[in-house]
Every structure is written in structure tokens, then in C-alpha cells.
Amino acid sequence: MSVVKINVLTVPPEMRETLEQRFAARAGAVESSDGFEWFELLRPVEGTDQYLVYTRWRTEEDYQKWASERMGPAHSGAPGEGQRRPAATDATLWSFEVVQHAAPKTG
């Protein structure tokens, strides 16, 4: 079964738009990665300042390969831009294995 990685990002209100713009600017960056299955950026509605970055991978090895090849450059700022101020003040990575799932019935 698949593995899920949820990156919990604490984002102050004044940096929310920046975070969302940065994710929008890199749309498509992960979709062609071997073993990638799903991505969602979840904005908090109430009661928290934490965004959830949800990704699902075929295997832990697929995630680790992507993380070592892509994640570092994606978080280092664009070339020539220098280091950008992080939008999040804290980040925690949660890892899960999918043991059950359901989808809408069709037909």
C-alpha cells in the first residue's frame, strides 16, 4: 500500500499568501516524479495557523528518492534570488502507511 507524508507548516497570517504563491509557482514540480500519487495543500479554516501539505507515494523509497533529489532545491530559493525568508515558522513531517481507502462509487 501507499505511504502518506504530511508536512505540518506553522504559517503566520501575514505569510499565508506568500506560502500559497510559492506552492502555486512550483505547480507541476512533483507530478512526474516516479511513485508520486497525490498532492494537496490544505489551508486552515479556523482554530489553527497550520497548513498541511499532503503527498501520497507508492513506496517510502519513492518518497525518499524525491526528497533527496527535489525537496532541497525546491526549498533553497530560485537561482540568483538568494535565500528567501521562509513562509513557515515551524515544520513537522508526519508519516503514515495507507491501510484502507475508499473512493466514490461510479456507475
Side-chain angles (χ1 to χ4, degrees):
M1 282 273 188
S2 302
V3 296
V4 169
K5 301 294 180 174
I6 300 174
N7 199 354
V8 182
L9 304 176
T10 303
V11 182
E14 68 274 10
M15 294 302 290
R16 285 180 161 201
E17 186 175 341
T18 299
L19 178 85
E20 292 178 23
Q21 288 174 350
R22 288 179 184 171
F23 271 94
R26 55 186 289 266
V30 70
E31 285 87 332
S32 61
S33 299
D34 190 39
F36 171 79
E37 296 180 348
W38 199 262
F39 162 84
E40 290 178 319
L41 175 62
L42 306 176
R43 177 192 302 140
V45 176
E46 60 184 48
T48 185
D49 57 357
Q50 294 179 318
Y51 276 72
L52 301 181
V53 183
Y54 173 99
T55 58
R56 190 174 69 220
W57 299 86
R58 179 180 53 214
T59 66
E60 177 68 24
E61 292 75 22
D62 291 326
Y63 168 77
Q64 292 299 330
K65 182 178 179 188
W66 171 80
S68 66
E69 294 175 357
R70 304 283 186 181
M71 196 177 217
H75 293 152
S76 65
E81 205 176 286
Q83 194 71 357
R84 298 183 292 182
R85 178 178 169 219
T89 59
D90 189 37
T92 302
L93 183 64
W94 295 343
S95 298
F96 299 88
E97 291 181 332
V98 176
V99 293
Q100 291 185 15
H101 68 274
K105 293 182 179 184
T106 58

